[in-house]
Amino acid sequence: MSASEQDIPETEADASTRAGTEAGTDAGTEFSTDAGTEADELAERTGLTPRQARLLRVVVGAVLLVVMGVVLAVRLAAHTSVLVVGVYGLAMILCGVVIELSRNGRTRLATWLLAGGLLTALALDWLVLP
């Protein structure tokens, strides 16, 4: 090697290509670098896995179901009305639907349905109920 070639640092890609060429197996190095790239992409992925997202929505739905039950009991103690049972009963049914959707892998739909349904229930509580 000349003096100018020794000053240039060798990258991993150059080293693996040179090693594969010396061994006579260029095709083997292509597969190993592709597998490494896929593993790097998976390692760099951030956020929840699909299983964790489903579990999170199931837990949130269950917690909100219990909260809606408590609010229903408190509201019924203050105002005995069919509207109270209707609004909070539908909110509790909505929480159950969200849990089932999440269990079946429809987490985005469950999230939008839960947010929209709970906002609707709160709006009805504020606007309609005495």
Side-chain angles (χ1 to χ4, degrees):
M1 281 199 276
S2 67
S4 62
E5 291 176 348
Q6 291 176 355
D7 293 337
I8 300 173
E10 185 176 30
T11 62
E12 285 185 48
D14 294 337
S16 64
T17 305
R18 189 171 49 83
T21 306
E22 290 174 359
T25 57
D26 286 338
T29 58
E30 290 177 20
F31 292 116
S32 65
T33 57
D34 288 342
T37 304
E38 291 174 10
D40 292 341
E41 289 175 7
L42 289 175
E44 291 175 3
R45 189 173 92 176
T46 59
L48 298 174
T49 64
R51 185 167 190 242
Q52 289 171 334
R54 285 192 305 268
L55 181 63
L56 178 67
R57 268 118 181 142
V58 167
V59 169
V60 168
V63 167
L64 288 174
L65 181 64
V66 171
V67 168
M68 288 296 142
V70 169
V71 171
L72 175 62
V74 169
R75 293 289 293 195
L76 277 177
H79 302 68
T80 55
S81 171
V82 175
L83 286 175
V84 172
V85 175
V87 168
Y88 287 104
L90 286 175
M92 291 174 68
I93 291 170
L94 176 75
C95 290
V97 168
V98 166
I99 290 170
E100 280 302 310
L101 285 172
S102 297
R103 287 183 57 226
N104 292 321
R106 304 287 182 224
T107 54
R108 289 185 193 139
L109 176 62
T111 302
W112 284 107
L113 187 62
L114 185 64
L118 290 180
L119 287 176
T120 303
L122 290 174
L124 286 174
D125 182 30
W126 184 65
L127 294 172
V128 176
L129 298 177

